[in-house]
Amino acid sequence: MQFRKTSAALAAVATLSLTATACGSSSGDGDKIVIGIKYDQPGLGLKTPDGKYTGFDVDVATYVAKELGYGADKIEFKQAPSAERENLIRNGDVKFVVASYSINDKRKAVVDFAGPYFLAHQDLLVRADDNSIKQASDLNAKKLCSVTGSTSAQNVKEKLAPKADLQEFGGYSECITGLENGAVDALTTDNSILAGYAAQKEHQGKFKLVGLKLSDEHYGIGLKKGDKELRDKINAALEKMKSDGSWEKAVKANFGPANYKNEPAPAITEK
Amino acid sequence: MFDFLDNPQYDLLGAFWVTVQLALYSALGSLILGTLLVGMRVSPVPLMRGFATTYVNAVRNTPLTIVLIGCSLVLYQTLGITLAGGDSKTIGFRMAVLGLAAYTGTFVCEALRSGINTVPVGQAEAARALGLSFFQVLTLIVLPQAFRSVIAPLANVLIALTKNTTVAAAIGVAEASLLMKEMVENESDSLLAVFGVIAFGFVLLTLPTGLLLGWVAKRMAVKR
């Protein structure tokens, strides 16, 4: 009988823990605000080994949260991988998402955007001593690397250089390895992300951006569909960030070392 | 809801065909490797036994993602080993087969070893008494009987392998889960449908495998 009691107790514990975790923290728990960011994009959103968060998206998120009345100590960052951004917003797990989130019509069908707060272009990162790539058509004879399934990778396959030898990896860091060793010739994605990598201490001076504008990516802040009040507040915060010089400062701080010519702050279109 | 299936950009059948190819080649490789390993594990040579035991325990307890990314990053991107492939596609596919076979071979080896334990000791003793060498005892008497008794566990390994092929997306092999990642990137308004379609595809692959091999296992079992 002893055994039965134990197993019953175990089952009870298991169900309890399941129900406890099933309804995780909803945003607005107590007086904190939960914001979705990327954890693995240097320069945009990065969680450092000592548990700090750095990057341009993080700076924007912090500024907007401050304008909404949440100090830096009241912000809880949550990882928002590309595939999960819509669901995090829809389920209310995060108040809003600032994670190199390009505004497009498919996404607008399920979430609303504020912004845009940044205009990026798909570009190429090459070794600093490599001058053989001048335009997109040069890629057809080159080895290229990008992230599995990303828009940039699909652009290469469908439009830019269908003949290019495209290697896809789960993350940009794996591509950097191949680029350093000459196994691939170029890494392609949004120039903001590339600049973030080139600006990292261990990579400075090794790589450069080619400076092509292969696509327009308008980064917006994703939030729940129909929450007009929050959208207006975030847009107001973004306007203020631009006018008081914080936007420019954040760009310089995060992309400065990469010699990256960023676009001027875009006008807000999502109202 | 399911209108993305009509998009010519998504070659669903082609992607699943790559999944099937990955699974079949890796299954073949792992069967050969597993048989070799099990032969070493039961051999009278201590060095062989030690090597096989170490290999099985090391690889079996390494996460598959690490094995595959290691194959691609270390062997190809850093050491420049291309396995006679020309472009990234071919090299990636071969690296994936290599990694999957090296990993799954350990599970095949352990399944076979349990099969060897089902063969009565008298069988091997009788074979020795007839004057057969160790190699002959193993290949003619013990392994055929062992194989017949472990078809069901091997079917489990094959099903696990089929699902494990999705990890190859991490090194850019264009199989079903890589296509799913592309769909997820573009079809943010019908994520559940995308997941559903891909999951259903895998069920279509694994369910018949399980049923068929279950039936084969019943037919082949050694009646004792």
Side-chain angles (χ1 to χ4, degrees):
Chain A
M1 284 323 278
Q2 191 54 46
F3 168 70
R4 231 197 239 166
K5 263 190 201 144
T6 336
S7 55
L10 275 177
V13 168
T15 16
L16 271 178
S17 61
L18 276 177
T19 45
T21 49
C23 48
S25 65
S26 58
S27 59
D29 242 20
D31 53 357
K32 277 202 182 288
I33 186 168
V34 187
I35 304 174
I37 56 164
K38 284 267 165 71
Y39 277 11
D40 56 354
Q41 291 182 343
L44 283 166
L46 184 72
K47 187 177 184 177
T48 54
D50 55 2
K52 289 197 183 67
Y53 302 96
T54 62
F56 180 68
D57 279 346
V58 175
D59 292 348
V60 171
T62 312
Y63 190 96
V64 169
K66 189 183 78 195
E67 290 299 306
L68 296 175
Y70 298 92
D73 54 332
K74 293 275 184 283
I75 301 174
E76 189 184 318
F77 285 118
K78 197 177 168 89
Q79 186 173 19
S82 294
E84 290 168 34
R85 288 180 297 209
E86 290 82 17
N87 282 335
L88 286 172
I89 293 169
R90 265 201 294 204
N91 303 340
D93 294 328
V94 296
K95 192 86 177 162
F96 54 86
V97 164
V98 195
S100 56
Y101 202 3
S102 299
I103 300 171
N104 70 27
D105 289 345
K106 285 256 184 197
R107 288 170 182 167
K108 272 199 233 179
V110 280
V111 298
D112 270 345
F113 284 99
Y117 61 93
F118 195 79
L119 172 57
H121 303 289
Q122 185 178 349
D123 195 4
L124 303 166
L125 189 73
V126 293
R127 287 180 292 277
D129 57 355
D130 184 354
N131 296 316
S132 61
I133 302 175
K134 296 271 187 295
Q135 56 205 14
S137 54
D138 292 341
L139 292 172
N140 278 319
K142 294 281 180 188
K143 283 189 181 334
L144 208 59
C145 188
S146 190
V147 162
T148 308
S150 63
T151 312
S152 316
Q154 294 182 50
N155 275 346
V156 171
K157 277 193 241 184
E158 306 285 320
K159 293 195 279 266
L160 299 172
K163 288 201 196 66
D165 185 1
L166 179 69
Q167 167 75 51
E168 293 179 63
F169 276 126
Y172 299 107
S173 311
E174 288 101 310
C175 285
I176 293 273
T177 308
L179 189 59
E180 260 189 286
N181 294 316
V184 295
D185 303 312
L187 157 55
T188 181
T189 183
D190 300 356
N191 52 11
S192 49
I193 299 171
L194 295 175
Y197 270 98
Q200 276 190 302
K201 273 196 190 61
E202 61 268 38
H203 299 143
Q204 277 182 26
K206 283 188 193 166
F207 307 115
K208 63 176 183 197
L209 289 160
V210 177
L212 303 175
K213 297 183 178 175
L214 304 171
S215 73
D216 289 336
E217 307 289 339
H218 298 272
Y219 290 172
I221 295 182
L223 53 118
K224 205 175 221 128
K225 204 164 175 54
D227 194 344
K228 189 158 168 31
E229 191 193 348
L230 179 63
R231 173 147 83 178
D232 293 341
K233 277 187 190 160
I234 293 178
N235 278 333
L238 290 175
E239 287 291 5
K240 190 174 166 193
M241 190 174 180
K242 280 179 231 171
S243 58
D244 71 5
S246 312
W247 188 91
E248 201 60 42
K249 217 167 27 194
V251 170
K252 285 278 170 294
N254 291 300
F255 305 125
N259 194 13
Y260 162 53
K261 296 168 192 60
N262 63 287
E263 298 272 354
I268 294 200
T269 54
E270 303 292 321
K271 290 190 175 116
Chain B
M1 186 75 178
F2 286 99
D3 50 346
F4 62 89
L5 289 174
D6 305 325
N7 185 337
Q9 190 197 326
Y10 304 135
D11 180 10
L12 199 62
L13 286 178
F16 268 109
W17 175 233
V18 176
T19 296
V20 170
Q21 280 177 305
L22 268 179
L24 287 180
Y25 284 122
S26 309
L28 198 66
S30 60
L31 211 57
I32 295 167
L33 179 68
T35 314
L36 280 174
L37 282 172
V38 81
M40 287 166 87
R41 283 205 74 167
V42 297
S43 79
V45 186
L47 186 70
M48 276 185 166
R49 273 210 309 271
F51 170 79
T53 310
T54 314
Y55 175 85
V56 165
N57 282 324
V59 177
R60 194 173 50 159
N61 295 306
T62 310
L64 177 61
T65 314
I66 295 181
V67 174
L68 284 185
I69 290 183
C71 278
S72 186
L73 274 190
V74 178
L75 296 182
Y76 168 39
Q77 302 277 320
T78 309
L79 298 177
I81 297 167
T82 58
L83 300 177
D87 55 358
S88 312
K89 259 198 179 52
T90 331
I91 298 167
F93 182 85
R94 287 177 189 178
M95 284 292 169
V97 170
L98 176 74
L100 283 166
Y103 176 84
T104 315
T106 60
F107 291 90
V108 172
C109 165
E110 291 307 277
L112 275 176
R113 209 160 58 94
S114 66
I116 286 180
N117 293 336
T118 65
V119 180
V121 183
Q123 295 272 336
E125 282 172 351
R128 287 295 292 163
L130 290 172
L132 301 181
S133 68
F134 168 79
F135 189 71
Q136 286 171 312
V137 173
L138 190 70
T139 52
L140 300 173
I141 311 291
V142 177
L143 274 184
Q145 295 187 64
F147 259 110
R148 287 172 62 174
S149 62
V150 292
I151 288 176
L154 282 181
N156 284 345
V157 172
L158 180 62
I159 288 171
L161 168 66
T162 309
K163 292 183 293 184
N164 281 343
T165 55
T166 53
V167 180
I171 59 170
V173 180
E175 44 67 72
S177 73
L178 189 136
L179 181 66
M180 186 182 86
K181 283 195 167 79
E182 291 189 353
M183 288 179 178
V184 164
E185 177 84 9
N186 303 341
E187 314 294 329
S188 36
D189 52 349
S190 48
L191 285 185
L192 281 178
V194 169
F195 281 120
V197 166
I198 301 287
F200 182 67
F202 274 97
V203 171
L204 279 187
L205 285 181
T206 51
L207 205 61
T209 309
L211 291 173
L212 176 76
L213 286 173
W215 175 78
V216 172
K218 272 206 191 65
R219 295 247 349 218
M220 299 289 291
V222 184
K223 304 281 184 291
R224 296 195 199 280

